[in-house]
């Protein structure tokens, strides 16, 4: 059985995914979505930017013929070429496994090896901006296989990260033992007949092609990882107390949890109420509910604000505002859209012109990004503080108001989860912020204006969803 670096990379993120990749039903997997494809393309582009500066050689072999690839790579190493791109290295592990290593680069350096007075160091080109553990474990894997090829144990390997001028040196004396431990755990999981337990991690799982499959199983089990606030550390603590079901957590007194690792009195109380909400399928008021005076104040005009951004370009390309005039009973959506990155300054001024027409109107948004962006744009385009300060005082974060005041029977406090629980639907069912990044990139590449229309519709729906959540929260506390 082949084990490659990608297997160890995914295993560090989720022990269940590699098992399903080997033993699962392929038809249950999801097709790669736009964001996954964009990440893959971004990594390819980053890789090409680095290697185009180098005079490198590549092994010559038919696709999938790893033995031929390894032989061709060995020949290049024996010749002593300076750089080998995507070389193929093979070694045996515990007789039944073959380790397949394909580092992005093999870089020649002075030193001893079976080839002569030189050896090679593996270097990987990563899209991340910092040397994550998973990157360092992977490069240690490459170095371990390389050691069996050139008969020399290295102490350092390299990572080329995004936006970094120098190669980051990985301490192999530190990371090789951890890599070997992970490799051992991986083989134990792969050899097992039973898949590792499900744990739905919102960030790590969202891009996995097994997400919907695992999420459906977790829902059928009412798995505790679906409860907002149950982290892996807290889940382990709950298991140690034999609290393994939604019902048992809902009936747990907070004092039982508050002294555990990862808990305190506030976390324990909120988590129990969250479990009670999920168990009863009813929204519940939190005991430490803070003031909702900003929401209960009835302004004649309200503004709902949402931004679409392209982080790789450091660009906020769409500032969307929904103006709700409750006296005139009218609504108007304004999409200030930068069709090119150079138009960001223009749409910033257009946004200011609009919101300044309603100096008393509260500006509702969901999460902190809008506030942070207004501060950033104000500094970037040198907007006087006398204009920015009163503007920021009008911002009201619906997300913060909600999570501090009420528990909902949902498994995520993302805007989509909350609004859809309330019956709101987006016109583009599969749209999300990540896909908008992809669509905007495609707009810049192709000039297809239908992509801009989809993005604007999505942004408007985000504003209307924010209004739906805000109106529900006001009515809920009014009735309560």
């Amino acid at each position: 059985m082949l084990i490659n670096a990608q297997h160890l990379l995914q295993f560090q993120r989720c022990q269940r995914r590699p098992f399903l990749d080997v033993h699962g039903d392929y038809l249950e997997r999801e097709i790669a979505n736009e964001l996954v494809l964009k990440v893959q393309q971004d990594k390819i582009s980053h890789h090409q930017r680095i290697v185009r500066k180098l005079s490198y050689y590549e092994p010559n072999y038919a696709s999938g013929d790893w033995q031929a690839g390894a032989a061709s790579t060995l020949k290049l190493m024996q010749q002593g070429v300076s750089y080998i791109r995507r070389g193929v290295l093979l070694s045996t592990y515990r007789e039944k496994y073959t380790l397949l290593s394909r580092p992005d680069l093999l870089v020649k350096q002075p030193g001893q090896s079976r080839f002569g007075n030189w050896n090679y160091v593996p270097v990987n080109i990563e899209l991340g901006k910092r040397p994550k553990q998973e990157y360092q474990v992977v490069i240690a894997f490459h170095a371990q296989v390389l050691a069996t090829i050139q008969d020399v144990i290295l102490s350092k390997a390299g990572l080329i990260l995004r936006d970094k001028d120098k190669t980051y040196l990985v301490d192999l004396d530190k990371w090789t033992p951890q890599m070997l431990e992970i490799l051992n755990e991986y083989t134990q999981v792969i050899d097992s007949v039973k898949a590792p337990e499900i744990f739905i991690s919102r960030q790590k799982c969202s891009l996995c092609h097994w997400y919907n499959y695992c999420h459906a199983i977790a829902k059928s089990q009412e798995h505790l990882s679906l409860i907002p606030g149950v982290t892996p550390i807290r889940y382990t603590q709950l298991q140690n107390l034999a609290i393994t079901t939604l019902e048992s957590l809902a009936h747990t007194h907070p004092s039982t949890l508050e002294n555990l690792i990862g808990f305190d009195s506030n976390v324990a109380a909120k988590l129990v109420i969250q479990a009670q909400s999920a168990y009863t399928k009813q929204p519940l008021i939190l005991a430490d509910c803070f003031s909702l005076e900003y929401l209960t104040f009835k302004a004649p005009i309200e503004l709902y604000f949402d931004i679409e951004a392209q982080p790789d370009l450091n660009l906020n390309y769409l500032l969307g505002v929904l103006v709700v005039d409750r006296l005139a009973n009218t609504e108007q959506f304004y999409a200030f859209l930068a069709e090119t990155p150079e138009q960001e300054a223009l749409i910033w001024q257009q946004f200011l012109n609009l919101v300044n027409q309603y100096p008393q109107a509260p500006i509702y948004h969901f999460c902190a990004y809008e506030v942070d962006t207004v501060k950033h744009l104000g500094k970037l385009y040198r907007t006087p503080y006398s204009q920015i300060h009163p503007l920021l005082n009008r911002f009201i974060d619906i997300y913060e108001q909600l999570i501090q005041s009420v528990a909902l029977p949902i498994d995520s406090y993302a805007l989509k989860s909350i609004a859809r629980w309330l019956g709101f639907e987006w016109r583009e069912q599969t749209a999300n912020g990540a896909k908008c990044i992809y669509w905007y990139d495609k707009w810049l590449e192709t000039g297809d204006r239908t992509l801009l229309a989809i993005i604007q519709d999505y942004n408007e729906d985000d504003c209307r969803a924010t209004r739906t959540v805000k109106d529900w929260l006001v009515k809920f506390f009014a009735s309560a």
Side-chain angles (χ1 to χ4, degrees):
M1 179 184 292
L2 280 177
I3 300 176
N4 61 37
Q6 190 67 18
H7 292 143
L8 293 193
L9 177 69
Q10 298 301 341
F11 186 74
Q12 292 176 83
R13 298 172 177 173
C14 171
Q15 294 190 3
R16 185 178 172 86
R17 173 170 173 169
F19 179 92
L20 293 175
D21 284 343
V22 173
H23 302 291
D25 182 353
Y26 191 83
L27 296 177
E28 297 283 357
R29 292 173 44 156
E30 294 292 314
I31 299 173
N33 61 39
E34 288 93 336
L35 181 57
V36 173
L37 296 175
K38 173 176 166 47
V39 171
Q40 292 172 349
Q41 184 57 53
D42 287 348
K43 184 168 184 178
I44 291 171
S45 298
H46 176 48
H47 180 100
Q48 291 173 340
R49 282 195 298 271
I50 300 300
V51 301
R52 71 165 58 107
K53 307 172 187 175
L54 308 174
S55 178
Y56 60 82
Y57 292 80
E58 289 190 74
N60 182 23
Y61 63 100
S63 177
D65 188 348
W66 304 123
Q67 293 293 339
S72 180
T73 302
L74 179 61
K75 186 175 181 180
L76 292 172
M77 295 171 77
Q78 290 170 336
Q79 293 171 1
V81 302
S82 296
Y83 297 97
I84 302 173
R85 182 189 183 196
R86 292 174 178 162
V88 178
L89 308 172
L90 296 174
S91 70
T92 301
Y93 178 71
R94 294 183 178 175
E95 297 184 354
K96 63 183 292 188
Y97 300 104
T98 298
L99 303 184
L100 169 61
S101 165
R102 297 184 67 209
D104 291 328
L105 291 170
L106 290 169
V107 181
K108 182 183 177 183
Q109 66 173 7
Q112 294 303 309
S113 72
R114 60 178 286 195
F115 309 125
N117 60 353
W118 71 87
N119 58 46
Y120 287 88
V121 175
V123 175
N124 263 11
I125 302 169
E126 301 291 356
L127 195 58
K129 295 183 179 181
R130 59 185 182 84
K132 302 175 185 177
Q133 171 182 310
E134 57 196 45
Y135 294 163
Q136 302 197 60
V137 167
V138 163
I139 201 67
F141 172 83
H142 293 314
Q144 182 73 12
V145 179
L146 178 60
T148 66
I149 306 300
Q150 62 182 3
D151 294 338
V152 61
I153 298 176
L154 301 171
S155 61
K156 301 291 182 182
L159 294 174
I160 299 177
L161 304 171
R162 185 167 55 160
D163 301 335
K164 298 293 187 294
D165 295 330
K166 295 182 179 180
T167 300
Y168 179 87
L169 295 180
V170 176
D171 183 353
L172 294 175
D173 292 336
K174 172 184 176 182
W175 288 101
T176 298
Q178 294 191 42
M179 181 275 296
L180 292 173
E181 183 177 343
I182 291 170
L183 179 59
N184 178 56
E185 292 174 356
Y186 172 84
T187 58
Q188 291 178 9
V189 168
I190 294 304
D191 289 342
S192 174
V193 297
K194 184 179 180 181
E197 182 186 3
I198 284 175
F199 189 95
I200 301 298
S201 173
R202 286 150 189 83
Q203 283 188 326
K204 292 182 179 180
C205 293
S206 60
L207 297 181
C208 178
H209 47 233
W210 294 105
Y211 174 73
N212 288 335
Y213 172 76
C214 291
H215 191 272
I217 296 174
K219 289 286 284 186
S220 69
Q221 297 175 349
E222 293 187 326
H223 197 273
L224 292 185
S225 65
L226 294 178
I227 300 175
V230 176
T231 62
I233 291 176
R234 292 170 186 165
Y235 182 69
T236 299
Q237 296 296 311
L238 294 173
Q239 284 185 311
N240 292 339
L241 293 179
I243 301 173
T244 59
T245 66
L246 178 61
E247 182 179 7
S248 62
L249 181 55
H251 290 96
T252 298
H253 195 278
S255 61
T256 306
L257 308 176
E258 58 188 28
N259 293 321
L260 299 177
I261 296 174
F263 288 86
D264 56 32
S265 58
N266 185 47
V267 169
K270 280 190 174 182
L271 195 59
V272 169
I273 296 175
Q274 182 64 57
Q276 292 170 350
S277 175
Y279 183 64
T280 62
K281 296 180 172 55
Q282 296 293 326
L284 298 175
I285 295 175
L286 295 174
D288 61 346
C289 169
F290 72 47
S291 171
L292 294 170
E293 59 181 320
Y294 290 121
L295 295 183
T296 55
F297 169 70
K298 296 186 183 301
I301 296 178
E302 301 171 344
L303 308 182
Y304 294 86
F305 181 35
D306 188 70
I307 296 173
E308 304 303 330
Q310 212 310 359
D312 290 341
L313 299 176
N314 194 27
L315 170 69
N316 297 281
Y317 63 85
L318 176 54
L319 309 179
V321 182
L322 175 66
V323 179
V324 177
D325 188 332
R326 294 192 177 274
L327 295 181
N329 196 28
T330 61
E331 300 176 2
Q332 179 67 47
F333 177 70
Y334 297 87
F336 302 118
L337 177 63
E339 295 190 0
T340 65
E342 294 74 23
Q343 291 181 351
E344 184 184 62
L346 171 64
I347 67 168
W348 167 241
Q349 190 57 55
Q350 291 173 336
F351 166 77
L352 291 177
N353 292 341
L354 176 69
V355 297
N356 287 335
Q357 292 179 36
Y358 310 101
Q360 304 303 317
I363 303 173
Y364 296 107
H365 60 102
F366 196 88
C367 288
Y369 185 78
E370 280 67 28
V371 170
D372 294 339
T373 300
V374 165
K375 291 178 181 177
H376 165 71
L377 293 176
K379 290 180 180 179
L380 180 64
Y381 296 112
R382 299 183 179 180
T383 306
Y385 181 74
S386 58
Q387 292 185 37
I388 297 298
H389 181 66
L391 181 62
L392 292 174
N393 285 339
R394 294 159 55 191
F395 277 71
I396 301 171
D397 188 345
I398 299 301
Y399 171 77
E400 284 296 329
Q401 296 274 333
L402 187 139
I403 64 169
Q404 297 290 347
S405 60
V406 64
L408 302 179
I410 54 179
D411 58 27
S412 168
Y413 281 90
L415 177 60
K416 276 194 173 56
S417 296
I418 300 170
R420 282 177 171 155
W421 177 72
L422 295 172
F424 183 89
E425 284 297 339
W426 276 253
R427 280 169 281 183
E428 179 63 42
Q429 291 288 313
T430 63
N432 55 44
K435 286 189 175 182
C436 284
I437 295 173
Y438 174 82
W439 290 330
Y440 188 76
D441 283 348
K442 284 296 181 182
W443 148 253
L444 294 178
E445 177 185 333
T446 67
D448 183 355
R449 302 197 71 85
T450 60
L451 296 170
L452 294 184
I454 294 173
I455 293 171
Q456 289 181 74
D457 286 348
Y458 172 75
N459 183 266
E460 178 180 353
D461 287 345
D462 271 359
C463 290
R464 294 188 180 279
T466 301
R467 180 191 178 188
T468 297
V469 176
K470 179 262 182 185
D471 287 349
W472 176 86
L473 195 57
V474 171
K475 291 177 182 178
F476 176 72
F477 276 93
S479 62

